[in-house]
Amino acid sequence: NDYRVRVNAIRSLRSFAWSASAEHLLRGVGDTSEHVAVAAAEIVRAVVKKEDAATLWLWAKKTSSKRAQAILFEAALKAEPLSERAEQV
């Protein structure tokens, strides 16, 4: 249950398609280890697509890691700028 093993497992997901890795990345973002949550958020930020922005807003609100939350908010804004999001509301 070493957090370093979980971090490396999360980082290995970068080479997989979003559809295959999203469930595992969500688990990583919710991990109790700050290191794992941040690693998962960083992978999400690297592979995010516009259609995933709404999902990222939800993930960011659910994580207990403030650092991972900031990365996820950044990824959501990268995928869908706030001006576009505001138009939906």
Side-chain angles (χ1 to χ4, degrees):
N1 237 347
D2 188 354
Y3 77 88
R4 293 169 291 194
V5 173
R6 296 193 312 273
V7 166
N8 285 327
I10 289 292
R11 287 186 178 150
S12 73
L13 294 174
R14 187 174 188 154
S15 59
F16 290 90
W18 172 258
S19 58
S21 63
E23 179 184 339
H24 302 292
L25 290 170
L26 174 58
R27 230 178 304 144
V29 165
D31 198 278
T32 56
S33 168
E34 176 86 7
H35 302 286
V36 176
V38 168
E42 288 173 343
I43 299 304
V44 169
R45 179 177 57 191
V47 300
V48 68
K49 295 181 180 146
K50 185 172 182 168
E51 58 270 13
D52 306 320
T55 302
L56 297 185
W57 289 105
L58 296 173
W59 287 15
K61 291 177 183 177
K62 291 181 180 181
T63 185
S64 61
S65 165
K66 296 301 179 191
R67 197 165 150 217
Q69 186 178 53
I71 294 168
L72 290 171
F73 280 138
E74 177 188 354
L77 288 171
K78 173 185 164 190
E80 182 181 43
L82 197 53
S83 58
E84 293 178 30
R85 182 101 174 132
E87 290 174 9
Q88 295 175 0
V89 176

